[in-house]
Amino acid sequence: MRQEKYYEAYLDDYDKVIVFMSRNSYEGVSNKFYLKDDQGHLFDLHIQSIETTQNNYNKYTLALYDPIEIGVEYQVMHQHARGVVLEYSGIVKTERFDEQFFYDGNDLGYTYDRDQTAFALWAPTASRVKLEVCKNNRLYTYEMKRTDKGVYRYTILENLENATYVYLVRVNGVWRESIDPYGTASIENSRRSAVVDLDKIRVRDVPLPKMTSACDAIIYETSVRDFTMQKGIGVTMPGKFRGFVEENEITKQQCSGFSYLKTLGITHIQLMPVTDFGSVDENYPLMHYNWGYDPVQYRVLEGSFSTEPANPYGRMFELTKLIEECHKQGIRVNLDVVFNHVYDKETHAFENTVPNYYFQMNENGDFSNGTYCGNDVDSRRNMCHKYIVDACTYLVRTYHIDGFRFDLMGILDVATINAVYEACKALNPDFMVYGEGWDMPSFLDSGKRASISNNAQMPYVAHFSDRFRDVVKGRTNTNEVSVKGYCTGAVYLLDIMKNCLSGSCTNIGMEPMFTHPRNAVNYVECHDNMTSWDKLKECCKEDSKEVRIARAKMLMAAVLLAQGIPFIHSGQEFARSKHGLPNTYEESDEINKLDYLRRNQYQDMVKITKDLIRIRKEHPILRYSMKEDVEQHVSFSDIAQKVLLYKIRDEHDDMVIIFNPTGEYFSYEFEAAYPLLYYNGASEDILIKKVNIEPYSTIVFSRNDFLKPGIR
């Protein structure tokens, strides 16, 4: 923020200095300015313009004709002999700066060997950097050497395993203490980075089910903490990485925790943030609740999920175990990553090492606030782009992650998201990248945002479909909870419902939203906003509980039978409730925990979820990844503009799916008999030519052997 002190100076380009002088000091007037380097040499600054600002400052635009050396600590002197440190500001946003200091090496952070550890920090605007190491409770400080591309280096010729360290960075006239932005381990509460031997972090690979496209995925979102925080379910380490996959006689008897997850048939779990965040005290994790969308370290895991937060290895071994156990069950693991903003800009390693560089800033020194957190990350900068890609590939290589869900992905740029996909796919051919492609009001040009409107520029990246959510279930904003969707009774949305079931990639029912079905994540519920059950209680107040249950089943059917990528929020399959609260990111464990007692009360809903998952897996025509297949093989008809018939037919299968969100009875007669698969639940394999359609029903038919001789 500018115009806060009496006298300020900013280097905004290689030849441009901006000075602010308060009119309360010397009336803000100076007729001469000089640049003074750290050797006492003076250089003339030439006044180009003067203007008075609304904040009672005089703003001077000064030209610098002499070459400047980035990293030197300069002062700007005015005619009254007062000096102020020249802050490296807008210059770090220039293409010239990016080109001059882009470093494409892979050794940033530390490189550990039993005989030595080499440290490297990218800090081109810093005048000095010191390395402070703590080993055996003793502190050692070393002056680091500036090398090419603004990388500071120091190598210690001894075994530093388990030692902790911080950097002391002199930049813009101030010493700043910083953890390592490229660090891979930490002690509790991000106090210090730690040196570990990454060769000890190994995930044992097991064969996973084949995937032909992202549309084969069935994603189940949950929180490490929420998943096992209910008391009495047999988990001895609730809310921890270890507790997530803990199994014993009690969990098996109650079918709780991981014992329950294994039964669902889902293909991927999506873990809400598990990298280090700042909103929970890792020593006293039960003191505060938070989802964790407050990133501090992007390569370091969150300590509150560990049974040993002070042990740098503890959380690493524990997540490794979680991933191994999931993979053994054929369940892939996706991570929710939050690269769009940081927990606290002023104390973050980004700002401590290269101020202003990593955050979207305009020419006035104001920071973009599209995230409503005040510090939108600037992925357009070369080293920020590299940082994000490097962090993602590190997580994939180290922990064998299977996909990333990007929080507020539209804050980041298209090129960065595509680069993440390509780099991670090179490590894991079945890798998924998807996220919130909302068009956020940041400083990034709208045509470069990784948003839904630009999905054609990201051919293998998927986006959460707010169209699907709002058309199928109804609006989600707190002031629109009474607005219904097709499955909750708004039958006038029938045509747009066709579009949603088609993956919103064709002109059926509405203009396309996505290029291909593989670009659409279909959902009606996630951690944000009301649960769908709580929403049903608001928008369908006139319905009985039994009818609301039938509608909840239909919502699940729409998600799991539509073209695209299905996404389920944990507990959605048993009418999860958060007592009507829309955004429970810091409410309490009592509100957010997964309630297995409630699960027991809604076993019928759990069963139909499993049935629908099985049907999706058994019928590839529900999983087209290309628009051309949808256009060729998917069609629709309706009954009385109320009941929707969703038809899919190719050379291998012929399916008809019926949705009736009304309280009316209908009937439909086929030209030839169809085997019945599902009628508000799994059905006996019987042939039906004329079907009676009951109120609030979802019905599925399939003739996957219809091409056999004699069967038509």
Side-chain angles (χ1 to χ4, degrees):
M1 187 68 69
R2 299 184 177 187
Q3 301 181 66
E4 292 184 331
K5 303 172 185 175
Y6 276 114
Y7 181 32
E8 304 168 0
Y10 302 96
L11 185 63
D12 278 357
D13 210 330
Y14 283 79
D15 58 358
K16 180 181 178 181
V17 173
I18 300 295
V19 165
F20 291 95
M21 290 184 65
S22 170
R23 292 172 64 83
N24 294 325
S25 175
Y26 305 109
E27 297 183 343
V29 174
S30 176
N31 296 320
K32 291 286 290 182
F33 292 93
Y34 304 91
L35 189 67
K36 182 179 179 181
D37 67 15
D38 54 2
Q39 302 298 312
H41 302 129
L42 295 178
F43 307 90
D44 286 332
L45 293 171
H46 305 270
I47 299 174
Q48 301 295 298
S49 66
I50 307 171
E51 59 183 282
T52 301
T53 73
Q54 293 180 343
N55 297 326
N56 201 34
Y57 280 78
N58 281 349
K59 175 185 176 182
Y60 295 82
T61 301
L62 310 177
L64 172 64
Y65 298 148
D66 297 284
I68 195 165
E69 182 179 348
I70 305 298
V72 171
E73 186 171 301
Y74 294 95
Q75 286 197 336
V76 174
M77 315 294 295
H78 60 46
Q79 74 175 60
H80 309 287
R82 184 171 180 176
V84 67
V85 170
L86 176 64
E87 296 189 26
Y88 292 98
S89 187
I91 190 171
V92 302
K93 299 299 185 183
T94 64
E95 294 298 324
R96 180 177 170 184
F97 182 92
D98 252 356
E99 292 172 6
Q100 181 178 353
F101 292 105
F102 177 68
Y103 177 67
D104 62 358
N106 59 4
D107 60 346
L108 294 176
Y110 67 88
T111 303
Y112 169 80
D113 187 88
R114 292 185 63 184
D115 299 323
Q116 65 178 34
T117 299
F119 297 86
L121 176 69
W122 186 73
T125 58
S127 57
R128 293 173 64 190
V129 178
K130 295 180 181 181
L131 169 67
E132 181 188 277
V133 175
C134 181
K135 182 179 179 183
N136 300 325
N137 294 319
R138 294 189 63 183
L139 288 177
Y140 305 87
T141 304
Y142 308 92
E143 187 81 27
M144 300 184 76
K145 181 181 179 181
R146 185 183 179 101
T147 64
D148 191 34
K149 302 298 183 181
V151 177
Y152 283 81
R153 300 181 182 278
Y154 196 85
T155 299
I156 298 177
L157 300 177
E158 58 181 283
N159 189 344
L160 289 185
E161 185 175 11
N162 285 314
T164 66
Y165 67 100
V166 293
Y167 295 115
L168 305 174
V169 183
R170 175 78 178 183
V171 62
N172 290 342
V174 177
W175 283 102
R176 297 169 178 251
E177 180 178 299
S178 179
I179 53 177
D180 190 347
Y182 270 80
T184 58
S186 173
I187 56 176
E188 77 280 3
N189 291 324
S190 321
R191 290 193 299 115
R192 298 174 68 87
S193 299
V195 176
V196 297
D197 182 356
L198 289 175
D199 286 341
K200 293 182 177 180
I201 312 301
R202 298 192 176 186
V203 177
R204 289 187 290 271
D205 282 325
V206 296
L208 290 166
K210 299 288 186 183
M211 289 183 66
T212 59
S213 80
C215 295
D216 289 344
I218 301 169
I219 303 169
Y220 187 82
E221 179 194 39
T222 194
S223 154
V224 168
R225 180 164 176 166
D226 297 352
F227 191 63
T228 58
M229 282 305 289
Q230 187 172 46
K231 295 179 181 178
I233 63 170
V235 175
T236 61
M237 292 167 283
K240 307 295 183 185
F241 290 132
R242 293 175 64 183
F244 193 94
V245 290
E246 181 180 355
E247 289 194 277
N248 52 49
E249 290 305 314
I250 298 176
T251 67
K252 293 175 182 177
Q253 181 183 7
Q254 296 189 13
C255 194
S256 57
F258 196 60
S259 301
Y260 169 65
L261 184 70
K262 290 159 50 176
T263 71
L264 288 175
I266 52 97
T267 67
H268 292 65
I269 56 165
Q270 177 192 297
L271 298 179
M272 291 165 66
V274 299
T275 52
D276 186 43
F277 52 84
S279 43
V280 171
D281 188 319
E282 293 178 355
N283 289 319
Y284 305 99
L286 297 183
M287 183 182 301
H288 304 289
Y289 178 93
N290 202 284
W291 285 341
Y293 293 88
D294 301 306
V296 175
Q297 300 183 86
Y298 286 107
R299 295 174 168 222
V300 177
L301 303 176
E302 169 57 24
S304 67
F305 297 148
S306 173
T307 58
E308 301 178 274
N311 175 5
Y313 278 111
R315 61 191 83 177
M316 303 174 82
F317 289 145
E318 291 168 3
L319 180 66
T320 297
K321 175 70 170 175
L322 184 159
I323 292 166
E324 283 183 349
E325 293 303 314
C326 288
H327 283 177
K328 286 178 184 178
Q329 299 302 320
I331 300 172
R332 289 175 164 88
V333 180
N334 296 349
L335 297 187
D336 194 337
V337 289
V338 190
F339 285 103
N340 60 81
H341 76 283
V342 300
Y343 179 50
D344 181 357
K345 170 180 170 290
E346 298 308 316
T347 61
H348 195 272
F350 284 169
E351 193 69 2
N352 284 334
T353 54
V354 193
N356 305 314
Y357 181 81
Y358 291 95
F359 302 99
Q360 295 182 36
M361 184 181 77
N362 65 16
E363 61 183 9
N364 296 321
D366 300 319
F367 290 94
S368 177
N369 192 26
T371 59
Y372 303 104
C373 298
N375 57 67
D376 301 348
V377 166
D378 190 356
S379 60
R380 297 169 301 171
R381 304 271 65 83
N382 289 346
M383 288 300 288
C384 187
H385 170 104
K386 173 180 165 60
Y387 181 90
I388 293 171
V389 176
D390 286 352
C392 290
T393 53
Y394 165 79
L395 292 170
V396 176
R397 283 197 313 270
T398 306
Y399 298 107
H400 297 202
I401 301 304
D402 301 292
F404 289 126
R405 177 262 189 196
F406 277 82
D407 184 65
L408 296 186
M409 186 166 69
I411 292 293
L412 306 177
D413 72 299
V414 165
T416 297
I417 297 300
N418 281 334
V420 167
Y421 173 77
E422 293 297 336
C424 293
K425 183 176 174 60
L427 299 171
N428 177 348
D430 295 325
F431 201 81
M432 300 181 68
V433 172
Y434 57 100
E436 294 180 303
W438 319 138
D439 194 12
M440 309 301 290
S442 72
F443 290 169
L444 179 61
D445 181 85
S446 60
K448 297 180 180 179
R449 296 173 186 166
S451 58
I452 292 174
S453 59
N454 295 321
N455 80 89
Q457 300 180 47
M458 298 169 281
Y460 295 99
V461 174
H463 305 255
F464 284 89
S465 176
D466 51 349
R467 176 185 293 180
F468 188 98
R469 178 197 67 200
D470 291 350
V471 169
V472 175
K473 179 188 67 173
R475 299 288 181 85
T476 59
N477 291 337
T478 52
N479 61 339
E480 297 179 302
V481 293
S482 61
V483 179
K484 298 183 177 185
Y486 174 78
C487 291
T488 51
V491 294
Y492 68 89
L493 293 171
L494 181 139
D495 284 337
I496 309 178
M497 181 70 176
K498 298 174 185 176
N499 184 271
C500 293
L501 293 172
S502 304
S504 297
C505 64
T506 73
N507 286 307
I508 298 174
M510 196 178 185
E511 72 278 357
M513 189 176 188
F514 300 106
T515 306
H516 295 288
R518 66 175 182 237
N519 302 124
V521 176
N522 297 324
Y523 77 115
V524 293
E525 176 179 326
C526 67
H527 63 270
D528 282 322
N529 305 118
M530 279 186 175
T531 67
S532 52
W533 180 255
D534 289 344
K535 158 77 176 179
L536 281 166
K537 291 177 71 175
E538 289 295 325
C539 71
C540 298
K541 289 181 178 180
E542 70 280 8
D543 290 340
S544 65
K545 182 177 180 180
E546 290 70 27
V547 170
R548 291 200 298 271
I549 290 173
R551 292 195 187 280
K553 292 178 179 178
M554 188 178 295
L555 292 175
M556 185 67 80
V559 168
L560 287 167
L561 301 177
Q563 303 295 330
I565 303 168
F567 176 98
I568 304 168
H569 181 223
S570 53
Q572 179 183 335
E573 74 277 14
F574 53 78
R576 183 175 184 173
S577 173
K578 295 184 181 180
H579 307 284
L581 296 173
N583 192 9
T584 61
Y585 72 100
E586 59 176 0
E587 284 293 338
S588 69
D589 287 308
E590 186 61 30
I591 296 293
N592 286 286
K593 72 176 188 292
L594 213 58
D595 187 345
Y596 292 95
L597 296 177
R598 185 177 182 88
R599 186 276 316 272
N600 295 341
Q601 298 170 3
Y602 290 87
Q603 282 288 355
D604 187 47
M605 285 186 62
V606 176
K607 183 179 182 303
I608 70 100
T609 300
K610 295 178 182 179
D611 293 338
L612 291 164
I613 288 173
R614 175 181 52 79
I615 290 171
R616 183 176 184 85
K617 287 182 171 181
E618 291 177 354
H619 294 270
I621 62 173
L622 294 170
R623 310 193 305 272
Y624 291 135
S625 65
M626 301 293 290
K627 175 186 69 173
E628 292 77 12
D629 288 324
V630 175
E631 290 176 331
Q632 183 176 352
H633 301 299
V634 174
S635 63
F636 296 90
S637 61
D638 64 78
I639 304 172
Q641 278 287 297
K642 295 179 180 179
V643 176
L644 181 59
L645 279 72
Y646 165 34
K647 304 174 183 180
I648 323 155
R649 175 172 174 155
D650 64 15
E651 62 271 23
H652 303 295
D653 203 350
D654 179 9
M655 297 189 79
V656 177
I657 302 168
I658 300 173
F659 294 95
N660 177 16
T662 77
E664 303 175 49
Y665 288 85
F666 296 88
S667 65
Y668 182 79
E669 186 168 358
F670 296 104
E671 293 182 2
Y674 275 73
L676 177 65
L677 291 186
Y678 178 97
Y679 199 130
N680 297 330
S683 175
E684 296 180 7
D685 188 10
I686 57 175
L687 286 172
I688 292 181
K689 193 167 188 295
K690 182 176 182 179
V691 59
N692 293 317
I693 304 168
E694 296 182 358
Y696 316 112
S697 289
T698 305
I699 312 169
V700 181
F701 299 91
S702 170
R703 294 195 301 163
N704 58 4
D705 57 356
F706 76 98
L707 287 179
K708 293 180 181 179
I711 300 179
R712 283 285 182 261

